[in-house]
Amino acid sequence: MRIVGLLGGVASGKSSIARQLADLGAAVLDADQAGHQALRLPTVKAAAQQRWGDAILDAAGEIDRGRLARIVFAANPRGEQERKYLEQLTHPEIGRLLKQQAAQLQAAGVKLAVLDAAVMLEAGWSEMCQTLIFVDVPRDLRLQRALARGWTKEDFAAREGAQESLDRKRRLADAIIDNAGPPRQTRAQLERLWPSLVQ
């Protein structure tokens, strides 16, 4: 099974590209979903609670990702320290869950899967991929999209700063998709690329 990894800046539309590739016939390995699962693991939850207290829990006693994000993406040196702690706590578990998902898909006869993971390079998950696609969108448009999601400029800057540089992502890519225009233009590019992904 070939795994295609999606790279790009914050709010570049990697998840929408993954959905479009799924429409064309790919399966999706969802790191965000694996992240949710990792935060529910008893060992991860206990370690997070010990470090940050009950303030990170929601009414059901599960980790509230929004509350946790405010700590780990805080615009100060402590925020970076807390983010690194969270990453060393969750990344190995997320990687294990992604590999588990990939093995299940391969066993089911799936030929192509797409990995949608914001911190793929930082976590080393790009090693699972045979092909990397860079989703290219100018910063101004990405910021506009992030603000439309309810983020602040500070949220955007903090998350962008926590990821590998766009130049490195672009250099590592085997293909580039321009996702700045209307959906039909993006779709046309993906349809042109598709035969080379499934050969």
Side-chain angles (χ1 to χ4, degrees):
M1 180 178 76
R2 176 182 280 193
I3 299 178
V4 175
L6 299 179
L7 302 173
V10 173
S12 57
K14 293 183 295 296
S15 296
S16 73
I17 298 284
R19 282 193 297 274
Q20 291 197 55
L21 287 169
D23 287 345
L24 291 169
V28 177
L29 291 165
D30 191 337
D32 200 45
Q33 183 191 16
H36 280 281
Q37 289 175 270
L39 289 175
R40 286 195 294 268
L41 293 169
T43 50
V44 171
K45 194 170 146 184
Q49 209 172 340
Q50 187 177 355
R51 187 165 181 104
W52 297 301
D54 293 343
I56 61 164
L57 301 180
D58 62 18
E62 297 296 338
I63 293 174
D64 182 307
R65 285 166 57 116
R67 292 177 188 179
L68 189 53
R70 282 194 285 279
I71 296 169
V72 301
F73 290 113
N76 56 45
R78 177 129 189 267
E80 187 176 353
Q81 187 184 336
E82 299 307 318
R83 179 175 53 77
K84 285 184 174 161
Y85 177 82
L86 178 66
E87 287 171 352
Q88 61 88 24
L89 186 64
T90 58
H91 283 182
E93 295 297 344
I94 295 170
R96 182 181 61 77
L97 290 163
L98 288 171
K99 283 175 183 160
Q100 209 173 67
Q101 275 182 50
Q104 288 165 354
L105 291 171
Q106 188 161 7
V110 170
K111 299 291 182 213
L112 181 73
V114 182
L115 176 54
D116 176 17
V119 290
M120 186 189 312
L121 297 177
E122 299 81 352
W125 304 326
S126 54
E127 290 169 15
M128 295 171 61
C129 305
Q130 290 74 48
T131 304
L132 295 173
I133 296 173
F134 181 75
V135 182
D136 197 16
V137 178
R139 187 182 188 280
D140 288 354
L141 182 52
R142 292 188 296 106
L143 175 58
Q144 194 180 316
R145 290 175 180 176
L147 295 175
R149 288 181 191 173
W151 291 19
T152 64
K153 286 183 180 179
E154 292 72 28
D155 292 334
F156 179 84
R159 289 180 190 238
E160 187 101 306
Q163 295 183 16
E164 280 284 356
S165 76
L166 294 183
D167 284 344
R168 177 154 189 260
K169 290 178 181 181
R170 196 180 275 106
R171 275 200 314 275
L172 290 171
D174 301 292
I176 295 175
I177 293 291
D178 177 358
N179 195 31
R184 68 177 185 279
Q185 281 182 11
T186 302
R187 179 64 175 235
Q189 294 172 70
L190 291 171
E191 286 174 355
R192 283 196 298 274
L193 184 62
W194 181 258
S196 68
L197 299 179
V198 291
Q199 67 187 9

